Amino acid sequence: PVRPEAPANTVIPAEEVQFALSSGERVAMAEFRKKRSLNGNWKFSGVERSATPFSEETGGREAVSFDDSGWDSIAVPLNWYRKYTKVYDREQPYNRGFYRHEFDLTAEELRQHRILLHFQFIGYEATLWINGRPAGMHHGDFIPWLVDITDFVRPGKNQLALRVMQDFGTNHGNIPKATRTYGSQWSPSNIKGGIWGDVDLCFAPQIRLTKLFVTPLPKGDELLLDLTVENRTGTAKKA
């Protein structure tokens, strides 16, 4: 028998979705999600190696006044092992690197939006500082990270600092038995380090949906919607 052709891909990117309300008004999803890419060249400390886990000491590298003029430059996104090919060492399996980057915000952007920072992928543990203040932590190689930095930013220039910790796991590093979840471990060449996914500055409304679950009801033409609404206006609102 002739094998049927596979159906064409019908996935539509969110920024291209448009539909009409019963009133006839057109709605475009792109109007609700505004973002600015922070991809490009960032300042980078280089990758440090250690036979033992690193301490929480930062050497002041998160401070706004820190002098990073002697640092290297690295593309974001990029698996840092594509640039630093001699980092892997079974006897020194713990790795650390610091990123620094400046971005601008206008007073109008701050007045009208919540400011969110979206990291697509970081390998694998990160601590974030905005203008020298701790703004969040993340753990997970293949898990996107969305962090609200509204309370840490200001009009004009803002300083972002990110510390990334990474190791090669028990398969490829001389470290104790695993106490957490690792990324892929089947080959050292597959293990990623640093910011290896896109980074975006996102501008969200003060009232927004943060979670939406859609459940079809098989006995009728209905959908059950479970959603979470975040209200950052400071006042109660009715739906």
Side-chain angles (χ1 to χ4, degrees):
V2 178
R3 178 177 297 179
E5 291 291 331
N9 188 344
T10 56
V11 175
I12 302 173
E15 58 272 15
E16 296 180 11
V17 174
Q18 296 187 29
F19 56 91
L21 302 178
S22 57
S23 63
E25 180 184 358
R26 299 289 302 178
V27 176
M29 296 297 291
E31 296 175 1
F32 293 90
R33 185 178 183 182
K34 299 179 180 179
K35 64 181 181 180
R36 180 192 310 159
S37 175
L38 294 185
N39 290 351
N41 289 321
W42 291 31
K43 301 293 287 186
F44 187 58
S45 64
V47 180
E48 303 171 77
R49 294 185 300 188
S50 175
T52 58
F54 287 98
S55 70
E56 290 299 310
E57 172 275 327
T58 65
R61 283 168 279 199
E62 78 282 8
V64 175
S65 59
F66 181 81
D67 181 9
D68 58 18
S69 60
W71 280 18
D72 199 357
S73 176
I74 191 170
V76 169
L78 181 69
N79 171 12
W80 68 29
Y81 297 121
R82 298 295 183 184
K83 180 177 177 69
Y84 301 95
T85 57
K86 297 181 180 179
V87 173
Y88 173 63
D89 184 339
R90 186 175 185 85
E91 300 306 314
Q92 292 184 299
Y94 297 96
N95 297 310
R96 177 177 71 173
F98 287 82
Y99 293 82
R100 287 170 62 87
H101 189 68
E102 282 190 348
F103 60 92
D104 293 317
L105 289 169
T106 67
E108 183 179 1
E109 287 172 332
L110 287 173
R111 233 182 352 259
Q112 296 182 352
H113 304 95
R114 300 298 297 181
I115 310 302
L116 312 176
L117 197 57
H118 180 263
F119 293 90
Q120 185 182 22
F121 303 118
I122 301 174
Y124 65 87
E125 182 177 312
T127 303
L128 173 69
W129 292 267
I130 300 294
N131 294 321
R133 300 167 58 196
M137 298 180 67
H138 177 71
H139 180 193
D141 234 351
F142 302 99
I143 305 170
W145 182 24
L146 184 67
V147 54
D148 190 328
I149 60 172
T150 308
D151 297 336
F152 303 95
V153 293
R154 58 201 178 205
K157 289 194 177 300
N158 291 271
Q159 179 68 55
L160 179 162
L162 189 78
R163 179 187 64 195
V164 179
M165 304 282 204
Q166 187 274 338
D167 63 56
F168 289 93
T170 54
N171 286 355
H172 307 291
N174 185 19
I175 66 175
K177 185 178 178 180
T179 57
R180 50 180 157 65
T181 302
Y182 293 96
S184 57
Q185 288 289 295
W186 55 82
S187 167
S189 63
N190 186 264
I191 298 172
K192 299 175 177 62
I195 306 173
W196 60 279
D198 294 330
V199 182
D200 292 306
L201 201 58
C202 304
F203 303 89
Q206 298 288 349
I207 300 176
R208 65 189 180 99
L209 295 178
T210 58
K211 293 181 181 179
L212 174 64
F213 296 94
V214 180
T215 305
L217 301 180
K219 292 185 179 180
D221 296 330
E222 295 181 336
L223 297 174
L224 177 64
L225 303 181
D226 293 294
L227 51 90
T228 301
V229 180
E230 183 177 282
N231 176 11
R232 303 302 293 267
T233 65
T235 59
K237 302 289 183 180
K238 290 185 178 181

